[in-house]
Amino acid sequence: SYSFCTLLIIHQMREIITVQLGQCGNNLGTCFWDELGGEHGISPEGTYEGDCDNQLERIDVFYRETNEGRFVPRTLLVDLEPTSLDAIRQGCNSKLFPPENYISGESGGGNNWAKGFYSNGAELMPKVLDAFRKEAEKTDSLHGIQITHSLGGGTGSGMGSLLLHELRSAYRNLIFTSSVLPSRKISDLVVEPYNSVLGLNSLISDADACFTIDNGALYDILNRTMHLETPSFVDLNLIASSVLSSATCSFRFPGQINSNIRKLCVNLIPFPRLHFFMSSFAPLPSRGSLGLRKAEVPELVKNVFDPNYLMCRYEPNGNKYLAASLVFRGRVSTMEVESQMHAIQTRNSNDFVEWIPDNINCVMCDIPQRRNIASVSAAMIGNCTSFKGICKGMTENFNALLKRKAHLHWYLEEGMDELEFAEATANVDELAAYYTECENYSNYEGEFETDDVSSYYR
């Protein structure tokens, strides 16, 4: 029998509020809501058109129901210029999002971190925080805050850094981001190294967990693995949103083994600063791909650890996983999954650090992924020391510009100090060093330097 308090805990929703920031963040966020809407049976008008009770059982995590019976996403759509939000207002989801949750400026971020953090972003921030407070007041038990953004532009990196700082100061909830890393393959913005390092510096300090998405790796997946000669941003966002929907499925739907974002972080983050995840998904989705062939568990496990499926640059030589979590969707055998987990740790033992035992866990959700309705799918979310290579690549490009003070005046004119550049690159270099130490920790006899972990378990 259950006590009243136990029943209250069972029925209490643990909501997540999303903030979509900048053009990239809004495009990715919109694709994410398309995925969730399809899985929960929510139409672009916000009405329920599903046929399964499971779709509504935990829908309050990401949606709230209005007095009119519509389901609207718990999200804010923010940009420093109105173009991207106007496109959403005029698109197929025009009636899905509440009008008061569209928040835009007029002047834009100017592809400049400092504009997003100090000037234009700071002017718009009070409106954003007020809208967030109102959205938070509509929750029963706010569990976490999700931010979708890019590190390459001015709004996603600069205003994203400011938003992280303000939310961290005002709320004790877990903050996780879906952060798109820039790539020279699909962008020619010369100041991206400045923006990305300054933005990454804020993620190190103020975020609890970061799902990193490398545009270059996504492009390679689409081009080499899926053989799309000219991938579009729609294709890039489709793959990224598939991982995000899988990462959240176990606390949106019932399953054999359930999880939530806090449990995921506890399993994947050995030390507070090392909270950057890379991910993969199999079988790979594409536009119009419904009812894919039946995929077997061994094939899925093999593919999600294949570097060609990873959504971040990965060099297998010397790099090791600190921990990994696999999310299976659809009807799968628990015994078969456990057998494959044991096999991957035995067969690829050199790819995992020795000092963290049982560092692969799995989550199983009976509800299949929307684009894989006839089969099963899997996503892998891992914390890998290869992220140090991404950090080093960012700081190398950053320092190449900074030592010549190229384009620096655009940032100083907005109120920045040169010392901030030095602090940012030092912090990113330190993160890379932490990952290197973890990689060699089994041979390291000293005490590992880390932050006070009490600040993480809020």
Side-chain angles (χ1 to χ4, degrees):
S1 62
Y2 294 105
S3 67
F4 172 77
C5 290
T6 303
L7 288 171
L8 183 63
I9 292 172
I10 289 174
H11 291 289
Q12 187 181 49
M13 291 298 120
R14 297 178 65 81
E15 301 92 346
I16 292 174
I17 296 176
T18 301
V19 182
Q20 306 171 190
L21 201 56
Q23 181 178 8
C24 176
N26 277 290
N27 289 340
L28 175 58
T30 302
C31 197
F32 172 70
W33 291 112
D34 285 341
E35 289 284 333
L36 264 59
E39 293 177 7
H40 286 279
I42 304 301
S43 73
E45 289 76 32
T47 57
Y48 176 65
E49 298 178 349
D51 55 4
C52 177
D53 291 341
N54 289 339
Q55 293 176 313
L56 294 178
E57 185 175 335
R58 301 178 187 172
I59 196 170
D60 283 358
V61 173
F62 277 96
Y63 290 85
R64 59 179 171 85
E65 189 174 5
T66 67
N67 294 331
E68 295 77 26
R70 293 178 60 248
F71 291 93
V72 298
R74 299 183 188 274
T75 189
L76 304 181
L77 301 87
V78 182
D79 202 349
L80 285 176
E81 55 95 20
T83 307
S84 63
L85 301 191
D86 287 344
I88 297 174
R89 287 190 185 98
Q90 297 166 10
C92 61
N93 291 318
S94 59
K95 298 180 180 179
L96 180 63
F97 305 106
E100 64 272 16
N101 285 8
Y102 288 88
I103 306 167
S104 64
E106 297 296 333
S107 51
N111 295 322
N112 185 331
W113 184 92
K115 279 185 176 290
F117 191 91
Y118 282 109
S119 53
N120 299 347
E123 292 174 5
L124 192 62
M125 188 56 62
K127 291 183 180 179
V128 176
L129 295 176
D130 185 57
F132 187 92
R133 176 187 57 79
K134 292 177 180 177
E135 197 64 45
E137 289 173 352
K138 297 172 185 175
T139 66
D140 292 326
S141 177
L142 183 60
H143 177 54
I145 302 166
Q146 175 181 226
I147 298 174
T148 61
H149 69 135
S150 167
L151 293 185
T155 304
S157 62
M159 193 175 181
S161 298
L162 180 60
L163 179 64
L164 273 169
H165 179 75
E166 295 291 344
L167 292 177
R168 172 57 67 226
S169 301
Y171 296 89
R172 301 287 291 175
N173 306 93
L174 190 145
I175 301 175
F176 63 103
T177 73
S178 301
S179 304
V180 178
L181 310 180
S183 170
R184 292 293 180 186
K185 290 183 179 180
I186 53 177
S187 175
D188 56 1
L189 180 60
V190 70
V191 294
E192 272 185 347
Y194 284 154
N195 296 334
S196 57
V197 169
L198 292 167
L200 181 57
N201 178 45
S202 295
L203 292 177
I204 295 170
S205 304
D206 292 323
D208 292 305
C210 301
F211 293 83
T212 55
I213 303 164
D214 182 349
N215 264 340
L218 288 183
Y219 187 90
D220 287 341
I221 289 173
L222 291 163
N223 189 250
R224 298 175 185 174
T225 307
M226 300 182 68
H227 309 294
L228 294 179
E229 294 183 2
T230 56
S232 69
F233 283 108
V234 173
D235 298 311
L236 297 176
N237 289 329
L238 179 60
I239 296 180
S241 63
S242 296
V243 170
L244 297 181
S245 68
S246 293
T248 61
C249 71
S250 63
F251 46 102
R252 293 187 288 113
F253 296 112
Q256 296 163 272
I257 301 178
N258 282 294
S259 181
N260 60 39
I261 190 65
R262 189 172 296 275
K263 289 180 182 178
L264 182 71
C265 292
V266 169
N267 286 325
L268 293 182
I269 303 174
F271 304 104
R273 278 179 169 249
L274 307 184
H275 56 247
F276 294 87
F277 307 152
M278 61 171 51
S279 54
S280 61
F281 185 85
L284 290 169
S286 61
R287 283 180 287 177
S289 61
L290 292 170
L292 296 175
R293 65 178 178 82
K294 175 72 174 177
E296 302 296 335
V297 171
E299 180 186 3
L300 292 175
V301 173
K302 176 185 176 182
N303 286 343
V304 294
F305 282 102
D306 186 337
N308 292 324
Y309 282 69
L310 289 172
M311 300 182 193
C312 267
R313 294 191 301 275
Y314 174 76
E315 297 294 337
N317 298 330
N319 292 307
K320 296 186 176 183
Y321 285 95
L322 304 177
S325 179
L326 270 67
V327 182
F328 292 92
R329 302 194 62 178
R331 295 285 182 176
V332 294
S333 165
T334 304
M335 292 184 61
E336 186 177 16
V337 168
E338 290 178 351
S339 173
Q340 289 302 313
M341 295 299 96
H342 177 73
I344 196 73
Q345 284 184 296
T346 303
R347 185 171 61 248
N348 299 349
S349 58
N350 291 333
D351 294 337
F352 297 86
V353 295
E354 300 173 358
W355 51 274
I356 301 180
D358 301 320
N359 51 356
I360 299 183
N361 69 86
C362 67
V363 175
M364 287 184 279
C365 177
D366 295 338
I367 309 299
Q369 200 255 355
R370 178 171 70 115
R371 294 179 178 274
N372 204 26
I373 200 71
S375 184
V376 296
S377 61
M380 189 279 293
I381 304 162
N383 192 345
C384 184
T385 61
S386 67
F387 193 73
K388 69 180 186 293
I390 294 175
C391 295
K392 291 177 181 177
M394 284 185 174
T395 54
E396 285 176 3
N397 294 331
F398 180 94
N399 291 327
L401 288 176
L402 186 61
K403 72 178 182 180
R404 296 172 176 82
K405 297 190 177 182
H407 305 282
L408 193 63
H409 61 288
W410 299 114
Y411 293 77
L412 301 182
E413 287 174 359
E414 301 297 329
M416 283 193 70
D417 187 281
E418 283 193 48
L419 183 61
E420 293 180 71
F421 288 84
E423 290 175 348
T425 188
N427 203 18
V428 174
D429 284 338
E430 189 177 66
L431 176 66
Y434 278 162
Y435 270 113
T436 301
E437 279 191 22
C438 272
E439 192 175 278
N440 304 316
Y441 193 34
S442 57
N443 300 319
Y444 183 65
E445 297 181 356
E447 182 177 350
F448 186 78
E449 289 188 19
T450 185
D451 303 325
D452 178 13
V453 296
S454 63
S455 64
Y456 174 73
Y457 296 101
R458 286 180 265 275

